[in-house]
Amino acid sequence: MAAEATLSSTTVSTAFAQGTSFEAVDVYTRLSEQAPYVFSTEYWNAFSSSPSLTTSTTSITGSSTTATSTSITSSQPLASSINAAQSDSSPGLSAGATAGIAIGSAVAGLIIGVTAGFFLFRRQKLQGSKARSQVTSYNSLEKPLRSAFSSPFPTDKLQLDQFLLDSSSDAEISSEMGSLGQLLQQHVENHYHMQPVSQSVDTLSTALIHLGIDQNSTMSASRLAALAIDPNTRRSAIQHVIARVTFASVTLDGASPLSLLPQPISSFVSLMPVTDGHRESADAVDIALTRWRQLSAFLLHPIRSDRTPLAPSEDVSTHQAEQLAVALNSFLEPFVTGDRQDRYEQENHLREVIVECATFGYLLFSQPCEYRYRFEGGVRPNYIVVFPGLDRISDEEGYRYPSAAQPVVTPMVEMI
């Protein structure tokens, strides 16, 4: 006997939007009472009605039919009853709603943009006003007046002084001077005789004048010539002449015919006009020369980062020193002992003395302070300076000491 089929159908009407509903016919079928129902949807039908939910159930078993109808009316849309399968057939927003949203978004964006632009313009304006205020405040400050004789090269930005040579101590300078004095004394004792000579005072004084020793100083050329002819005072006179001519060759105001300073330095000094008698002008020149010496020693140094004194070049140590030795021998030759070999040794050693004195002169040239050799000042009439003293005449800024110079080394003197 065939299984009895049971059919149950349910019609659901769900409100989806105002004035629009959908009708669905669901069919439940099972082959027997023990078998499960099989669900299937027969059709969908859209129709217009008021928002309501209507459920109809019809059960058919054999030849008997039972019908149940339920009607539920609600004033609110039943959004929770929307089936996922219905979303594909759901209508979108209306054209009016879409246009309203677009217009509202555009207005909101315009308002936000105008507001942001306003605050940005206000901020830039405030910053500009603050910058102009700072410039005005800076310009209104009273600028400190620089002294007419202050350092011509400010070092607050460049920090130039950290590359320039620091001042040597008085003890170091005094020690160097003492060594040079001993070297010169040994040279004179070993290479010049005490025998009588045939040269006259006039001949020797002429040679001394050519070496830069004038007749107007206390120890004039004629007096030195007379002291050199006398065997008792000869060595003292020779030491004085060698030291005086050699140190004059490494000073800016030296009277030596041959300068041992670098050629650009000696050329520049020779082109400088004489300072006028105005005191302030002289002070300005002293300050400028002090700074110029320091900068020249720095710029001419082959290794500037060493911060060491400028040293004589190879040309100074050979050719120029030899030329000065030859010039000095125009006065010294009558007093040189021995044969040709002795004269060769005398000339070589004299050149070594000149180079050592020039090296010391370069040391003083590189110093911030200015120094001056003293051959006559403070020496009694019956004494001769065989090796000069040294006085410091200005500070590191170039200002001359108002009263007396500061002695660093005392002159070596001998009675005549």
Side-chain angles (χ1 to χ4, degrees), residues 105-121:
S105 299
V107 172
L110 180 61
I111 294 174
I112 293 173
V114 172
T115 304
F118 171 77
F119 283 107
L120 180 62
F121 174 75

Side-chain angles (χ1 to χ4, degrees), residues 338-356:
D339 54 12
R340 182 177 180 181
Q341 180 64 28
D342 292 335
R343 293 178 181 276
Y344 177 78
E345 292 178 359
Q346 176 268 340
E347 185 173 341
N348 284 340
H349 195 264
L350 177 61
R351 185 173 65 251
E352 293 177 4
V353 172
I354 292 173
V355 171
E356 293 299 322

Side-chain angles (χ1 to χ4, degrees), residues 313-387:
S313 63
E314 184 69 22
D315 183 65
V316 171
S317 301
T318 54
H319 300 91
Q320 291 180 255
E322 183 176 359
Q323 291 176 4
L324 185 58
V326 172
L328 278 169
N329 275 337
S330 64
F331 167 76
L332 298 173
E333 186 176 4
F335 313 108
V336 179
T337 61
D339 54 12
R340 182 177 180 181
Q341 180 64 28
D342 292 335
R343 293 178 181 276
Y344 177 78
E345 292 178 359
Q346 176 268 340
E347 185 173 341
N348 284 340
H349 195 264
L350 177 61
R351 185 173 65 251
E352 293 177 4
V353 172
I354 292 173
V355 171
E356 293 299 322
C357 291
T359 302
F360 180 77
Y362 275 55
L363 169 66
L364 296 186
F365 179 83
S366 305
Q367 298 297 307
C369 304
E370 185 176 356
Y371 295 87
R372 176 181 296 166
Y373 298 104
R374 176 152 51 95
F375 282 92
E376 297 179 357
V379 179
R380 288 177 289 179
N382 57 337
Y383 282 82
I384 185 175
V385 175
V386 296
F387 196 78

Side-chain angles (χ1 to χ4, degrees), residues 1 52 64 68-69 76 79 92 115 117 131 194 196 200 204 212 259 265 271 286 303 309 357 382 390:
M1 182 177 179
S52 62
S64 64
T68 304
S69 178
Q76 299 295 332
T115 304
M194 295 293 104
S200 64
L204 294 177
S259 175
I265 300 296
L271 295 175
D286 292 337
I303 307 177
C357 291
N382 57 337
L390 189 67

Side-chain angles (χ1 to χ4, degrees), residues 110-181:
L110 180 61
I111 294 174
I112 293 173
V114 172
T115 304
F118 171 77
F119 283 107
L120 180 62
F121 174 75
R122 181 181 179 87
R123 181 179 179 181
Q124 292 178 347
K125 185 176 181 181
L126 290 175
Q127 290 178 347
S129 300
K130 183 177 180 181
R132 288 191 296 271
S133 176
Q134 290 177 347
V135 172
T136 304
S137 176
Y138 174 78
N139 291 334
S140 63
L141 293 176
E142 182 178 357
K143 306 297 188 303
L145 296 177
R146 293 184 60 188
S147 171
F149 311 117
S150 60
S151 177
F153 295 94
T155 59
D156 54 346
K157 291 184 178 180
L158 297 179
Q159 296 297 325
L160 182 61
D161 287 340
Q162 66 181 339
F163 297 100
L164 302 181
L165 183 67
D166 293 330
S167 298
S168 300
S169 64
D170 291 352
E172 179 182 356
I173 293 176
S174 178
S175 176
E176 291 289 337
M177 288 281 287
S179 299
L180 289 176

Side-chain angles (χ1 to χ4, degrees), residues 244-308:
R244 188 167 172 178
V245 173
T246 303
F247 284 124
S249 67
V250 288
T251 57
L252 296 179
D253 56 351
S256 175
L258 296 174
S259 175
L260 297 183
L261 292 173
Q263 191 273 332
I265 300 296
S266 57
S267 298
F268 178 81
V269 173
S270 64
L271 295 175
M272 288 179 55
V274 179
T275 306
D276 55 32
H278 196 272
R279 178 59 186 171
E280 291 185 354
S281 176
D283 291 341
V285 171
D286 292 337
I287 295 170
L289 282 175
T290 297
R291 200 61 171 176
W292 170 76
R293 280 191 301 100
Q294 288 183 279
L295 295 176
S296 298
F298 168 70
L299 294 174
L300 292 175
H301 201 291
I303 307 177
R304 300 186 182 99
S305 59
D306 284 354
R307 299 191 70 187
T308 55

Side-chain angles (χ1 to χ4, degrees), residues 13-23 45-52:
S13 178
T14 303
F16 183 78
Q18 185 68 30
T20 304
S21 298
F22 291 87
E23 181 182 79
N45 183 29
F47 60 93
S48 298
S49 66
S50 61
S52 62

Side-chain angles (χ1 to χ4, degrees), residues 184-205:
L184 179 57
Q185 183 179 2
Q186 293 173 2
H187 171 75
V188 173
E189 291 177 353
N190 295 333
H191 296 286
Y192 304 95
H193 65 78
M194 295 293 104
Q195 303 300 319
V197 294
S198 59
Q199 275 74 10
S200 64
V201 172
D202 291 339
T203 302
L204 294 177
S205 61

